Amino acid sequence: MAKTPDTDVQTGPPGETGSEAETSAAAVEATEDGAATGAPAERRPPQEVPRPKGLGPIGWARWGWRQLTTMRTALILLFLVALGAVPGSILPQRGQAPEKVAEYFEKHATLAPWLDRLSMFDVFAAPWFAAIYILLFVSLAGCVIPRALQHYRAMRARPPAAPRNLLRLPQSASYETGASPDEVLAEARKVLRKRRFRVDAGEASIASEKGYLGETGNLIFHLALLGLLLALGVGNVFGYRGNVVLTEGKPFANSLSYYDQFMPGREFDSDRLPPFSMTLDDFNATYESQGERRGQATDFQARLRYRETPTSPEKPYNLRVNHPLDVGGAKVYLLGHGYAPVFTVRDAKGDVAFRDSVPFLPMEQRNYTSEGVIKAPDAEPEQLAFYGILWPTAMASEDQKQIISAFPAPIRPVVTISSFKGDIGLDSGTPQSVYKLDGIGKTLQPVKGGQKLLEPGETLTLPEGAGSITFDGLREWTSLSINHDPGRMPALIAAVLSIAGLVASFMVRRRRVWVRARAGEGGRTVVEVGGLTLGHPTQEFEEIVAALRGPREHGTGERVRQSEADPDPASATDTKE
């Protein structure tokens, strides 16, 4: 039997570790086990690497959060908020002008219901607008707050050390001086600190930095924008808004029964309305009487008397556009106006069934031709109703076939009346619009001969003794918006801070200056100065160099270079900007 020679086997060459050593050991074990016919270890197929699993719920959640908190997503959401606010500025809104919304429904009977399904008449309370608003808030918070923490740590960190080659920076200078390196560095510290640089001494060099206010302003702008969104949300949750049409001589008390429309916040308790009250004494509108702008309004004034509480003294106030009344923690704004003719309706028995002013809605805004309805449900034996059109300054048209209003002021008010009798429908309990007659041709029948033009003081007597209606005079009404918004002052502060931060971010740039001094030939000192500015270079660097050289060293061995192009970070500096 042939003798197998003894052989010393190493599991790997000297210094071999890891997988190579394990491979050699596996080959030896295969040989010792008699697997001489097996393939060498290095020729065997590698073991199959397990495929990576999917991201999973947590991974997808992290990915979604990172996408949501990017500045790009925040800008997209901000654009969507601005885009979503466009319908609110084009279409009438229920919160500001419910009468104009009703007018829009009458003029666009087909389109208006579809727009209403999309909340286009109440944009800022729509679910889709709230979704964009909340996503924008979360995106800004997730983007800005971590940046603010990083900026705070960067402000407390030391300025970065001087790069190896200062002369390759966008702004650089080199000169020789007779002062020692220590004296040069001491002077550099003094000059830079005088210019409010943060200074840090290194080995034979000085590193300085300033301009954090620019990034601070940028963060303040975004944090203020975040605060503005939060303030708007607080106002919508804890505040309330209401609209009321107030006619001259009529009082108003801050309770739900006086509001034409009331919209409380989700957390607002309507039982805690402040108990203020007011009375509209007079409304006056001024119009241009001549020229191309004839008929255009120039001023609106509503003279009010108000009380903070039922027991407080009464105070006068002249309410104007952009001059709201501040009472009971709420702001009272003047929105619109119109005319309210005063009528007296008598029934068939001669009794007064109705006597009051009735607000008419403008049919056109140029000359305030208006329309309205008068309802007398207490008339007997049959209820009476009237439809009227008011011309503030009545005159015949050019073709003499119809009446038009030539001016918006009430110079010659005329009302045309159409009469109806029957069941108005109020006894059924079904709510009705005060600006519309329901059931015409069904429960309400036109009165033959019940049409007439009336001037103030004139009376229309209905045929067959059915009753009469008298046009007593003309008053004016104004629509008021009463708004309690606890987020108003925080929103104002946030807006001011955002503007200040935006100005600072544009005006202030990050600047870094390094100074290195070393001994040169002939006992002189070689000074190298380098500067790096975020954006275009400034004149400040030349001023610093001039202050370091001093007047006696001017022009001595000087070499100055300034580049308008941004440096190559890999070649200019070893520090990360």
Side-chain angles (χ1 to χ4, degrees):
M1 178 180 295
K3 184 177 180 180
T4 304
D6 296 333
T7 306
D8 294 332
V9 180
Q10 291 183 344
T11 59
E16 183 180 43
T17 59
S19 60
E20 295 180 359
E22 294 175 359
T23 303
S24 301
V28 172
E29 291 177 0
T31 304
E32 292 178 350
D33 291 339
T37 59
E42 61 272 11
R43 296 182 182 178
R44 293 176 184 173
Q47 295 182 356
E48 183 178 358
V49 179
R51 297 180 179 179
K53 297 180 180 180
L55 290 177
I58 297 179
W60 281 110
R62 290 177 179 173
W63 179 86
W65 174 255
R66 289 169 183 162
Q67 297 300 315
L68 179 61
T69 55
T70 60
M71 187 58 66
R72 178 181 58 187
T73 302
L75 291 175
I76 293 174
L77 291 172
L78 189 61
F79 172 75
L80 291 178
V81 168
L83 186 64
V86 171
S89 60
I90 296 177
L91 298 173
Q93 300 294 295
R94 287 193 175 92
Q96 287 76 33
E99 68 279 359
K100 293 184 179 180
V101 175
E103 180 181 353
Y104 192 91
F105 267 82
E106 292 181 1
K107 293 183 178 179
H108 306 84
T110 304
L111 179 61
W114 287 98
L115 293 176
D116 197 25
R117 292 187 183 98
L118 299 175
S119 302
M120 290 299 175
F121 300 110
D122 201 3
V123 169
F124 303 105
W128 56 268
F129 191 85
I132 300 175
Y133 177 92
I134 294 173
L135 285 176
L136 176 60
F137 184 87
V138 174
S139 178
L140 283 176
C143 179
V144 175
I145 293 177
R147 280 184 57 194
L149 297 176
Q150 293 175 3
H151 180 62
Y152 176 75
R153 289 192 293 265
M155 291 177 61
R156 297 178 61 86
R158 299 170 58 186
R164 287 194 301 268
N165 193 342
L166 293 179
L167 299 181
R168 299 179 68 179
L169 292 174
Q171 291 178 300
S172 61
S174 176
Y175 65 92
E176 295 182 358
T177 180
S180 65
D182 291 339
E183 292 175 346
V184 171
L185 296 180
E187 181 66 18
R189 283 195 294 268
K190 180 179 177 181
V191 170
L192 293 172
R193 284 174 178 169
K194 187 177 180 180
R195 290 179 172 270
R196 301 183 181 277
F197 277 83
R198 293 192 307 118
V199 180
D200 183 42
E203 184 178 356
S205 64
I206 293 292
S208 63
E209 186 176 25
K210 78 172 183 178
Y212 278 103
L213 184 61
E215 178 64 15
T216 302
N218 188 17
L219 290 173
I220 288 177
F221 168 75
H222 289 91
L223 288 173
L225 185 60
L226 191 65
L228 181 62
L229 294 176
L230 181 61
L232 293 176
V234 169
N236 288 330
V237 172
F238 296 100
Y240 69 86
R241 292 182 300 163
N243 295 319
V244 59
V245 174
L246 193 59
T247 306
E248 290 175 332
K250 294 292 185 70
F252 167 80
N254 192 32
S255 63
L256 293 180
S257 59
Y258 279 85
Y259 280 97
D260 297 313
Q261 187 178 27
F262 187 78
M263 295 157 289
R266 292 182 180 273
E267 300 299 327
F268 180 78
D269 187 0
S270 301
D271 295 333
R272 297 183 179 179
L273 285 170
F276 65 85
S277 61
M278 67 183 73
T279 301
L280 177 62
D281 290 333
D282 180 58
F283 182 88
N284 183 31
T286 305
Y287 304 94
E288 289 284 351
S289 59
Q290 295 178 353
E292 296 180 355
R293 299 181 57 190
R294 184 178 184 275
Q296 293 187 11
T298 58
D299 188 32
F300 299 106
Q301 295 186 13
R303 288 195 287 273
L304 303 172
R305 289 177 290 114
Y306 71 96
R307 297 178 186 269
E308 293 275 355
T309 63
T311 58
S312 62
E314 197 171 51
K315 301 177 183 179
Y317 189 81
N318 189 15
L319 185 64
R320 294 176 294 164
V321 177
N322 298 327
H323 292 79
L325 169 64
D326 192 352
V327 56
K331 294 279 189 179
V332 181
Y333 296 91
L334 180 64
L335 294 183
H337 79 104
Y339 294 104
V342 181
F343 296 98
T344 298
V345 178
R346 297 179 182 273
D347 59 15
K349 298 180 180 180
D351 298 330
V352 176
F354 176 86
R355 178 179 289 164
D356 202 353
S357 58
V358 180
F360 276 33
L361 297 180
M363 301 171 63
E364 46 88 15
Q365 297 294 327
R366 181 174 179 82
N367 293 312
Y368 273 83
T369 302
S370 307
E371 64 177 348
V373 297
I374 305 98
K375 299 180 182 181
D378 297 331
E380 294 180 356
E382 290 186 294
Q383 297 178 345
L384 298 176
F386 305 88
Y387 170 76
I389 297 178
L390 168 70
W391 293 278
T393 302
M395 64 174 294
S397 61
E398 294 182 358
D399 56 6
Q400 303 295 317
K401 293 183 179 181
Q402 59 182 353
I403 300 175
I404 61 172
S405 179
F407 198 72
I411 299 176
R412 188 197 174 192
V414 172
V415 176
T416 180
I417 294 294
S418 299
S419 307
F420 303 87
K421 64 179 180 179
D423 184 8
I424 299 177
L426 294 176
D427 297 336
S428 63
T430 304
Q432 292 185 5
S433 171
V434 296
Y435 305 106
K436 185 179 179 181
L437 286 177
D438 295 330
I440 296 179
K442 298 179 181 178
T443 58
L444 274 178
Q445 302 299 328
V447 177
K448 293 182 179 180
Q451 294 82 27
K452 187 179 180 180
L453 291 174
L454 299 178
E455 294 188 13
E458 294 183 346
T459 301
L460 166 62
T461 302
L462 300 180
E464 301 177 359
S468 66
I469 180 171
T470 302
F471 179 22
D472 296 322
L474 191 64
R475 297 178 184 174
E476 296 190 60
W477 59 261
T478 179
S479 58
L480 304 177
S481 175
I482 301 174
N483 186 2
H484 170 65
D485 186 1
R488 182 186 296 110
M489 186 56 64
L492 176 61
I493 296 174
V496 173
L497 289 177
S498 65
I499 295 175
L502 190 62
V503 171
S505 66
F506 282 118
M507 298 296 293
V508 181
R509 303 175 186 174
R510 180 85 65 85
R511 286 98 75 197
R512 291 174 178 173
V513 176
W514 295 275
V515 181
R516 180 181 287 121
R518 57 181 174 82
E521 298 179 357
R524 298 183 66 80
T525 299
V526 178
V527 182
E528 295 179 352
V529 186
L532 192 62
T533 302
L534 184 63
H536 295 290
T538 63
Q539 295 296 324
E540 185 180 32
F541 179 78
E542 284 77 10
E543 297 173 359
I544 293 174
V545 173
L548 292 175
R549 291 197 339 260
R552 291 177 298 177
E553 301 293 339
H554 179 73
T556 305
E558 180 185 0
R559 182 178 63 174
V560 181
R561 184 180 71 87
Q562 177 172 327
S563 173
E564 294 295 334
D566 292 336
D568 181 4
S571 61
T573 177
D574 294 333
T575 60
K576 184 178 180 181
E577 177 65 30

